[in-house]
């Protein structure tokens, strides 16, 4: 459930403390200041109603609810309504008296001593069937929270002969210390403790989703269901005019986007979850705060849990080799090029996407025949379902390298490829690393015995820009994946993944996002070979041009929907964009003038062919027609270009100018190189503008 | 004919194999990587019962040894562990050249098949079995492998796999063919074109030279920022002179004249130097005897020795 930011009253109706529970840091009775501050009522569209809906779905067999730290027992009546008996336990008698007056069973209990609490619980329950333990905004008040969870899990995991607690559920709501607005306050140097809310002054332990998952798992609970309570406007939004907090500022949009991408819990105010005792108990895993993300990708294995030690022991890189197994020969080439690397501190994940078992076995067999110094660093992973991005995301989840590199099963790495990445990483840690790349055209050749042969049919060429430029990459992708190494935390910590909804261009989509946040460090060394297949099964042949165009538009729309972070030195580039608008208007006017002149010349050319001036005009008309035809060729161009025909300057937004200018520049360069251009004076006027454009698009120094 | 019958007989048995590598000032780790990968490939072929015994012989043309004694000992241990029968390292004490070094090493070779291998290569684990597979055709005298990441542009017949010549960076040749045709012509060729010459002489003796595209080696090569191939430092000058000698040896005066004319008009100093040295050798009678008078095997396409699928010079 997500709360509209306008529902501000819910801030008040959403407690992050349900009762006064005596814990290690709040010894000696009720919380200072009196527990009445936690007297929250039950209402629809609140945390409590959302939580009780979840309870209603998952507690259907009746029984007793033990509401530990119940306060005034805001959910007591609702429990009764759905057929659950209710026992309110708290160390503060004030709320218990109120509950008792409302006709509910209560018990004065102190959970700071877990053993005593359990003994008291036995006496109070008296053999009745316990359906669930409720800990609603309680855990964060307890330094003994883990012990309490373990004790409850032990009770609930007891065999069926112990009918009282067997199979009891755990229902919790826990405030999210990683709510975006708390993160924003920290960025302002603020840690604003309040009488209640996300930073209640009695909170002694703080939970992120990840930490809660680990603590409950270690205590012996397995999550059954969740319906986290979302609040875009938390109680921490003050002052509301602060740029980091105000909902419409670019700063908030940018930072909140980063925070949300990291684990998806940016606006969860309270984690609302139901657990069942783990059987068998889940093996304990180290509790590591703030490391990684836990969300799985469509049923794929979750990423490994890392602690600081395992992080420092990571290999330099993980190479993701994506294959469908349809090109065993080129996969062999790719693996050979990896085995031959001069720097070998890397692992390889061969991601077999939707491959039949027989092919998977053949790939595994191929890997096993390499030298153990290489094959021991290679894992062959089966990935099923999804599109082109699915295997990449599966690999990202498993990656143990500090950098993640994609080398598809028809790409080749030169022997110094990994060493050059490593050299760059030493100089520019944390940046996207980009090497020189050559491309080569290949051709399949059916051979004897049904075996497929292939060979190069062109020399390698380097058509890609030597230096990365973010603005030009916002226009189209100009870097093949095999030339890039991404810092793995970009995926595993910031939560970015290849778009599984994108049929193509998933590499471009992720590159612009990574380049924006991490920056790009270039090397001029040509270290990899990107192979193009003539008529083969490369993505350009499989996917229709319309699909490329639509996907490109989708990616551009996403880019348009959020603020963009530009690296230092781009102010001048933005100034150039400003100039572009003027230039584009001039180009557009020139185009209009040329069209009119062509039409006029065509009319006047008839009947005046005998005169020298008539011939000149006719020739001019022909060349102008050619020039304009050139300008009109933007229709139906492949992905990476834009259609400027029919557009008018007035109809364009500012962000479109770069596209239009680039397209016009490209067209004018084409015209400029034509015979018509060289002969035609009127077009040269536009050429001046093109030269200015060329200067604007020149690589930054 | 007797040799051919012998080869037909041998295919019924598992062949033994000798790998020969000539070193010249390579770093130890490069050599070790080369030997490790070819050892694995030999081991795989042997475990699949495609070859019998195998040995690796290293000849060092460097001024001082490339490999320390401890390194050699370690390589021997590793080779033994990989199932190689014998690894031997010899420092020649002088630079015999590529062909001269291999000729020296092949003396007394008793293995059936010889794999000529460059030290700056990394072999596919399937290299040996794929090359041996091609040699199961008794008419095949020499097989060469596909080089990666930069393929050699010379073409091959897509059906028979016949090719004009075999690359010396990784070629398998029957030992009987090698010795039968007198090995590399190291007197005529110091560096480059000796593999072309060996291939053509084998073909003159009736043997086929084939390309095996499934046999792969990774050969350390570099590209400039514009994607142009960066040849080894010694290549331009030596290959220019060797090309002239090759055209001369294969009785192609027309090609010699064209090359001389082109080289003399070349802005590159080494081209003119190559012509000078060639002319000096011609005057001093230091050029090889002329063969292939009827041009049955020598194939000159421009200044290449085979049809090429593309050119690195475009």
């Amino acid at each position: 459930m997500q709360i509209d930011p306008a529902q501000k009253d819910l801030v008040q109706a959403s407690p992050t403390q349900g009762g006064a529970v005596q814990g290690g840091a709040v010894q000696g009775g009720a919380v200072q200041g009196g527990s009445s501050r936690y007297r929250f009522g039950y209402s629809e569209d609140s945390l409590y109603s959302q939580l009780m809906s979840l309870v209603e779905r998952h507690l259907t067999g009746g029984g007793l609810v033990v509401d530990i730290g119940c306060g005034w027992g805001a959910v007591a009546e609702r429990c009764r309504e759905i057929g659950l008996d209710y026992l309110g336990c708290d160390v503060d008698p004030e709320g218990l008296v109120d509950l008792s007056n409302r006709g509910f069973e209560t018990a004065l209990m102190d959970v700071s001593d877990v053993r005593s609490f359990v003994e008291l619980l036995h006496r109070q329950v008296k053999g009745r069937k316990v359906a669930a333990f409720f800990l609603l905004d309680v855990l964060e008040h307890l330094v003994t929270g883990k012990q309490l969870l373990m004790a409850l899990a032990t009770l609930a995991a007891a065999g069926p002969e112990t009918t009282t607690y067997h199979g009891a559920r755990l229902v919790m709501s826990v405030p999210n210390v990683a709510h975006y607005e708390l993160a924003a306050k920290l960025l302002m140097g603020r840690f604003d403790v309040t009488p209640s809310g996300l930073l209640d002054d009695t909170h002694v332990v703080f939970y992120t989703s990840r930490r809660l998952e680990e603590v409950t798992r270690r205590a012996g609970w397995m999550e059954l269901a969740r319906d986290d309570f979302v609040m875009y406007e938390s109680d921490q939004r003050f002052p509301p005019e602060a740029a980091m907090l105000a909902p419409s500022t670019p700063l908030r949009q940018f930072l909140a986007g980063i925070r949300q991408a990291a684990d998806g819990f940016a606006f969860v105010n309270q984690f609302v979850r139901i657990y069942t005792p783990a059987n068998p108990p889940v093996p304990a895993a180290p509790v590591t705060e703030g490391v990684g993300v836990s969300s799985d990708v469509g049923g794929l294995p979750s990423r490994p849990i890392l602690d600081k030690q395992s992080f420092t022991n990571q290999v330099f890189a993980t190479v993701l080799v994506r294959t469908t197994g349809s090109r065993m020969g080129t996969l062999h080439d790719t693996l050979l090029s990896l085995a031959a690397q001069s720097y070998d501190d890397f692992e390889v994940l061969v991601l077999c996407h939707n491959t039949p078992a027989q092919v998977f076995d053949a790939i595994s067999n191929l890997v096993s025949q390499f030298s153990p110094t290489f094959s021991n660093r290679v894992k062959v992973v089966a990935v099923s379902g999804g599109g082109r991005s699915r295997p990449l995301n599966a690999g990202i989840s498993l990656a143990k390298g500090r950098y993640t590199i994609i080398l598809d099963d028809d790409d080749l790495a030169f022997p110094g490829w990994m060493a050059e990445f490593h050299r760059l990483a030493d100089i520019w840690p944390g940046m996207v690393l980009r090497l020189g790349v050559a491309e080569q055209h290949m051709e399949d050749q059916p051979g004897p015995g049904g075996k497929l042969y292939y060979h190069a049919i062109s020399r390698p060429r380097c058509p890609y820009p030597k230096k990365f430029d973010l603005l030009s990459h916002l226009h189209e992708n100009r870097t093949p994946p095999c030339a890039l190494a991404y810092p793995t935390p970009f995926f595993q910590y910031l939560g970015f993944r290849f778009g599984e909804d994108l049929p193509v261009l998933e590499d471009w989509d992720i590159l612009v996002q990574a380049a924006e946040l991490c920056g790009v460090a270039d090397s001029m060394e040509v270290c990899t070979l990107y192979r193009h297949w003539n008529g083969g099964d490369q993505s350009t042949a499989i996917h229709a041009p319309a699909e490329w165009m639509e996907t490109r538009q989708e990616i551009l729309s996403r880019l348009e929907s959020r603020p963009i972070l530009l690296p230092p030195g781009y102010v001048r580039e933005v100034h150039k964009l400003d100039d572009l608008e003027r230039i584009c208007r001039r180009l557009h006017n020139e185009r209009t003038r040329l069209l009119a002149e062509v039409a006029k010349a065509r009319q006047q050319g008839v009947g005046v062919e005998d005169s020298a001036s008539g011939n000149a005009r006719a020739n001019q008309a022909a060349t102008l027609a050619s020039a304009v035809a050139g300008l009109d060729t933007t229709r139906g161009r492949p992905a990476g270009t834009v259609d400027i025909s029919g557009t008018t300057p007035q109809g364009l937004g500012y962000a479109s100018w770069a596209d239009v200018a680039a397209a016009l520049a490209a067209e004018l360069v084409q015209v400029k190189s034509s015979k018509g251009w060289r002969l035609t004076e009127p077009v040269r006027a536009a050429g001046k503008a093109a030269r200015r454009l060329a200067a604007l698009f020149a690589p930054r120094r | 004919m007797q040799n051919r019958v012998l080869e037909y007989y041998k295919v019924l048995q598992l062949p033994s194999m000798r790998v020969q590598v000539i070193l010249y000032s390579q770093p130890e780790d490069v050599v070790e990587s080369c030997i490790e990968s070819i050892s694995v490939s030999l081991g795989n072929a042997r475990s699949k019962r495609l070859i019998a015994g195998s040995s690796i012989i290293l000849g060092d043309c460097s001024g001082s040894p490339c490999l320390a004694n401890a390194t050699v000992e370690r390589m021997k241990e590793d080779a033994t562990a990989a199932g190689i029968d014998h690894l031997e390292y010899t420092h020649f004490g002088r630079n015999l050249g590529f062909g001269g070094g291999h000729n020296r090493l092949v003396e007394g070779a008793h293995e059936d098949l010889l794999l000529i291998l460059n030290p700056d290569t990394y072999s596919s684990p399937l290299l040996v079995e794929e090359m041996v597979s091609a040699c199961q055709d008794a008419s095949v005298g020499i097989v060469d492998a596909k080089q990666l990441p930069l393929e050699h542009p010379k073409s091959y017949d897509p059906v028979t796999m016949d090719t004009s010549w075999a690359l010396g960076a990784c070629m398998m040749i029957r030992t009987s063919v090698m010795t039968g045709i007198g090995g590399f012509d190291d007197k005529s060729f110091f560096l480059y074109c000796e593999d072309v010459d060996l291939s053509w002489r084998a073909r003159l003796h009736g043997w086929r030279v084939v390309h095996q595209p499934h046999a792969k080696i990774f050969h350390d090569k570099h590209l400039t920022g514009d994607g142009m191939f960066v040849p080894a430092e010694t290549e331009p000058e030596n290959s220019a002179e060797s090309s002239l000698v090759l055209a001369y040896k294969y009785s192609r005066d027309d090609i010699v004249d064209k090359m001389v004319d082109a080289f003399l008009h070349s802005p590159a100093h080494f081209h003119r130097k190559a012509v000078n040295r060639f002319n000096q050798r011609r005057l001093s009678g230091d050029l090889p005897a002329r063969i292939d008078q009827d041009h049955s095997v020598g194939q000159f396409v421009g200044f290449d020795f085979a049809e090429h699928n593309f050119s690195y010079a475009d």
Side-chain angles (χ1 to χ4, degrees):
Chain A
M1 177 180 177
Q2 297 190 341
I3 301 297
D4 188 290
Q7 293 179 269
K8 294 180 181 176
D9 56 332
L10 289 180
V11 179
Q12 303 306 320
S14 174
T16 58
Q17 208 276 353
V21 181
Q22 193 166 343
V26 284
Q27 297 284 344
V31 177
Q32 195 171 20
S35 58
S36 58
R37 62 174 163 164
Y38 299 129
R39 187 170 187 170
F40 301 109
Y42 186 93
S43 64
E44 293 304 314
D45 296 330
S46 68
L47 163 73
Y48 291 138
S49 66
Q50 188 166 319
L51 181 142
M52 287 308 296
S53 293
L54 196 66
V55 167
E56 196 172 353
R57 288 197 296 275
H58 293 278
L59 291 181
T60 54
L64 180 67
V65 164
V66 180
D67 189 0
I68 303 168
C70 63
W72 267 257
V75 296
E77 281 82 1
R78 183 63 188 145
C79 283
R80 183 181 283 164
E81 286 171 14
I82 62 173
L84 294 166
D85 297 326
Y86 181 88
L87 167 61
C89 309
D90 207 305
V91 72
D92 179 11
E94 195 178 349
L96 296 182
V97 169
D98 184 76
L99 258 175
S100 186
N101 290 339
R102 283 150 52 200
F104 291 100
E105 180 183 355
T106 62
L108 191 67
M109 289 188 183
D110 180 358
V111 295
S112 63
D113 181 344
V114 174
R115 181 173 294 180
S116 302
F117 168 77
V118 171
E119 286 173 6
L120 280 170
L121 184 66
H122 288 322
R123 269 182 258 156
Q124 189 71 34
V125 170
K126 294 175 185 165
R128 287 174 289 174
K129 171 68 178 172
V130 173
F133 302 110
F134 278 20
L135 284 171
L136 309 186
D137 298 309
V138 169
L139 197 64
E140 65 279 11
H141 294 269
L142 302 174
V143 293
T144 54
K146 289 179 199 169
Q147 289 91 324
L148 177 63
L149 291 179
M150 288 175 71
L152 296 177
T154 303
L155 292 176
E161 67 280 3
T162 319
T163 54
T164 300
Y165 303 105
H166 175 66
R169 307 286 198 241
L170 172 67
V171 179
M172 288 206 294
S173 65
V174 181
N176 175 20
V177 76
H179 189 285
Y180 166 72
E181 291 186 343
L182 275 178
K185 298 294 278 286
L186 283 173
L187 283 173
M188 292 188 281
R190 308 289 300 205
F191 194 71
D192 291 329
V193 174
T194 52
S196 65
L198 283 172
L199 278 189
D200 184 312
D201 60 358
T202 63
H203 289 182
V204 293
V205 182
F206 300 97
Y207 291 91
T208 61
S209 177
R210 179 183 174 81
R211 189 178 194 198
L212 184 61
E213 287 166 24
E214 290 172 354
V215 165
T216 49
R217 185 172 65 170
R218 284 159 58 91
W221 292 100
M222 183 173 71
E223 187 179 317
L224 190 64
R226 67 172 67 177
D227 189 7
D228 295 336
F229 188 67
V230 171
M231 291 184 71
Y232 289 104
E233 181 177 351
S234 76
D235 68 296
Q236 284 286 324
R237 189 184 291 183
F238 61 88
E241 296 80 13
M244 290 200 183
L245 298 173
S248 301
T249 64
L251 185 58
R252 173 173 167 127
Q253 285 178 34
F254 182 79
L255 292 175
I258 299 290
R259 170 66 194 91
Q260 178 68 1
D263 66 0
F265 298 108
F267 298 104
V268 167
N269 208 65
Q270 278 132 308
F271 305 113
V272 176
R273 293 165 189 195
I274 294 186
Y275 302 84
T276 186
N279 188 20
V282 177
V287 175
T288 51
E289 180 56 29
V291 181
V293 293
S294 57
S295 54
D296 291 355
V297 181
L300 297 168
S302 59
R303 65 172 294 282
I305 295 172
L306 303 174
D307 56 22
K308 282 186 178 177
Q309 189 59 39
S310 64
F311 181 79
T312 53
N313 288 341
Q314 281 182 289
V315 293
F316 169 66
T318 299
V319 180
L320 307 182
V321 178
R322 178 173 48 174
T323 184
T324 59
S326 60
R327 280 196 170 274
M328 291 294 285
T330 58
L331 174 63
H332 182 170
D333 299 350
T334 303
L335 292 173
L336 183 60
S337 77
L338 289 171
Q341 289 299 303
S342 59
Y343 180 78
D344 64 2
D345 187 22
F346 64 92
E347 62 169 358
V348 179
L349 300 178
V350 180
L351 303 159
C352 303
H353 191 208
N354 294 331
T355 48
Q358 194 176 355
V359 177
F360 180 85
D361 291 344
I363 292 171
S364 301
N365 183 48
L366 172 63
V367 169
S368 70
Q369 294 188 70
F370 277 86
S371 163
T373 56
F374 176 66
S375 61
N376 288 344
R377 293 183 280 124
V378 182
K379 282 182 187 156
V380 183
V381 181
V383 183
S384 58
R388 288 160 48 88
S389 296
R390 174 64 65 85
L392 297 178
N393 289 336
I396 284 166
S397 297
L398 298 169
K400 293 178 181 170
R402 288 155 46 210
Y403 288 81
T404 299
I405 309 170
I406 298 164
L407 193 70
D408 278 337
D409 67 356
D410 55 357
D411 298 332
L412 290 177
F414 284 71
W417 180 68
M418 190 61 72
E420 186 62 7
F421 275 132
H422 187 249
R423 187 188 71 80
L424 273 186
D426 270 352
I427 303 170
W428 307 105
M431 298 182 81
V432 176
L433 312 173
R434 183 176 182 268
L435 309 184
V437 55
E439 70 173 25
Q440 189 169 32
H441 287 269
M442 307 291 294
E443 188 174 72
D444 286 321
Q445 176 87 58
K451 279 190 166 182
L452 190 68
Y453 298 82
Y454 48 87
H455 55 242
I457 54 172
S458 77
R459 79 165 177 86
R461 298 183 189 279
C462 297
Y464 304 102
K466 290 184 172 57
K467 282 186 71 67
F468 182 86
D469 178 74
L470 182 57
L471 288 184
S472 62
H473 274 77
L474 290 176
H475 180 68
E476 64 181 355
N477 195 9
R478 300 181 183 189
T479 310
C482 54
L484 298 163
Y486 293 96
T488 303
F490 170 73
F491 301 111
Q492 293 187 345
Y493 287 64
L494 290 183
F496 286 86
R497 292 291 188 275
F498 288 89
E500 297 206 11
D501 56 334
L502 302 174
V504 290
L505 295 172
E506 72 284 355
D507 53 335
W508 178 39
D509 176 57
I510 209 74
L511 173 58
V512 290
Q513 296 178 78
E516 176 194 353
L517 298 181
C518 308
V520 178
D522 288 297
S523 164
M524 300 297 128
E525 291 289 322
V526 176
C527 297
T528 178
L529 197 59
Y530 182 64
R531 303 203 278 189
H532 274 288
W533 297 87
N534 282 11
D537 59 357
Q538 207 165 26
S539 55
T540 47
I542 293 173
H543 299 275
E547 196 169 25
W548 288 87
M549 291 286 278
E550 287 166 13
T551 309
R552 179 175 184 274
Q553 288 307 318
E554 170 60 25
I555 292 171
L556 291 176
S557 297
R558 292 180 190 184
L559 286 170
E560 288 280 60
S561 69
R562 61 177 181 79
I564 296 280
L565 180 67
L566 293 174
Y570 268 77
V571 172
R572 188 166 295 173
E573 300 301 313
V574 174
H575 284 201
K576 288 177 183 175
L577 279 179
D578 198 29
D579 292 341
L580 283 175
E581 180 178 345
R582 289 195 300 277
I583 293 169
C584 284
R585 286 182 188 280
R586 284 181 48 198
L587 290 172
H588 184 271
N589 292 338
E590 185 68 17
R591 182 172 180 273
T592 306
R593 191 181 69 76
L594 288 174
L595 282 167
E597 196 155 334
V598 168
K600 189 177 173 185
R602 277 183 179 145
Q603 288 175 348
Q604 294 180 349
V606 179
V608 293
E609 288 176 1
D610 292 342
S611 71
S613 62
N615 282 333
R617 188 172 287 274
N619 287 337
Q620 191 178 75
T623 49
L624 284 171
S626 171
V628 173
L631 287 171
D632 278 340
T633 57
T634 49
R635 286 196 184 90
R637 290 171 63 181
T641 61
V642 296
D643 185 354
I644 58 165
S645 58
T647 58
T648 63
Q650 290 73 24
L652 293 171
Y654 181 82
S656 303
W657 285 117
D659 279 353
V660 174
L664 284 170
E667 294 309 327
L668 286 174
V669 166
Q670 182 183 332
V671 172
K672 187 182 173 186
S673 64
S674 71
K675 189 178 176 184
W677 176 269
R678 291 193 298 273
L679 295 175
T680 310
E681 180 60 25
V683 186
R684 287 182 181 153
K688 290 176 186 172
R691 281 191 290 277
R692 287 189 64 187
L693 275 171
L696 285 166
F697 280 99
R700 295 165 50 249
R701 292 183 175 82
Chain B
M1 186 61 187
Q2 192 178 0
N3 277 351
R4 186 65 52 82
V5 171
L6 195 60
E7 292 303 331
Y8 275 111
Y9 171 72
K10 281 181 179 175
V11 297
L12 301 175
Q13 300 177 318
L14 291 184
S16 58
M17 176 165 298
R18 159 186 288 230
V19 176
Q20 290 192 175
V21 182
I22 296 299
L23 310 180
Y24 186 78
S25 300
Q26 278 80 21
E28 280 193 335
D29 61 336
V30 169
V31 180
E32 285 191 271
S33 175
C34 168
I35 300 307
E36 180 199 353
S37 63
I38 192 60
S39 297
V40 167
S41 193
L42 286 166
N44 286 341
R46 190 168 188 175
S47 68
K48 294 174 188 174
R49 297 191 54 76
L50 295 170
I51 60 169
S54 62
S55 59
I56 298 173
I57 314 295
L58 302 157
D60 191 347
C61 288
S62 316
S64 55
C66 281
L67 305 178
N69 288 339
T71 306
V72 174
E73 290 307 312
R74 187 172 63 245
M75 288 169 65
K76 283 181 178 177
E77 289 171 13
D78 292 345
T80 302
I84 311 303
D85 296 321
H86 179 64
L87 185 144
E88 184 179 311
Y89 167 74
T90 304
H91 180 235
F92 296 133
R94 65 191 183 94
N95 189 358
L96 301 176
F98 178 84
H102 279 295
N103 287 345
R104 174 72 64 84
L105 293 184
V106 84
E107 290 169 7
H110 60 274
E111 294 86 352
D112 302 308
L113 297 171
L114 194 61
L115 182 66
I116 305 290
L117 190 64
N118 266 23
D120 56 349
T121 59
Y122 189 98
S123 299
S124 154
L126 308 182
L127 174 79
V128 171
E129 66 180 81
E130 293 287 2
M131 297 190 92
V132 168
S133 162
C135 283
Q136 284 176 345
D137 183 333
S139 67
V140 171
I142 306 179
V143 183
D144 76 353
K146 173 180 266 189
Q147 287 191 33
L148 297 171
L150 299 181
E151 290 181 30
H152 197 282
K154 74 182 174 64
S155 65
Y156 55 94
D157 186 296
V159 177
T160 65
M161 299 294 147
D162 281 283
T163 187
S164 171
W165 58 280
L167 291 162
C170 180
M171 68 157 67
M172 186 173 284
I173 181 170
R174 297 179 195 279
T175 309
S176 60
V177 175
M178 182 74 165
T179 53
I181 63 175
F184 286 109
D185 181 0
D186 58 326
K187 292 185 174 55
S188 303
F189 305 98
F190 182 71
L191 276 175
Y192 302 106
C193 297
E194 61 277 86
D195 46 4
V196 184
D197 171 60
L198 185 80
S199 303
W200 287 354
R201 281 189 287 120
R203 288 175 57 199
L204 278 173
H205 281 76
W207 295 101
R208 289 171 58 210
V209 175
V210 300
H211 176 59
Q212 171 52 294
H214 297 306
K216 297 161 184 175
I217 55 159
F218 208 77
H219 194 187
D220 194 1
K221 299 283 183 186
H222 299 279
L223 292 176
T224 66
D226 298 324
M228 298 299 288
F229 172 62
V230 182
E233 197 176 332
T234 54
E235 185 168 341
E237 183 173 338
N238 284 299
S239 67
E241 182 181 345
S242 294
S243 299
L244 286 164
V245 174
L246 187 74
Y248 176 86
K249 181 172 180 177
Y250 284 83
S251 309
R252 291 297 300 266
D253 286 332
D254 56 329
I255 299 295
V256 172
D257 291 344
K258 282 183 182 173
M259 284 185 182
V260 167
D261 187 54
F263 290 173
L264 289 177
H265 287 88
S266 164
H269 173 64
F270 62 79
H271 276 143
R272 295 189 293 280
K273 197 173 164 186
V275 171
N276 287 340
R277 287 170 59 172
F278 174 75
N279 286 336
Q280 283 171 11
R281 289 175 68 176
R282 177 142 56 180
L283 288 171
S284 61
D286 191 25
L287 290 175
R290 312 193 78 175
I291 58 175
D292 193 29
Q293 308 278 354
D294 58 354
H295 312 321
S296 62
V297 298
Q299 188 178 0
F300 293 88
V301 182
F303 292 168
D304 297 323
F305 314 123
E307 294 283 355
H308 282 190
N309 293 321
F310 62 92
S311 170
Y312 280 103
D314 282 349

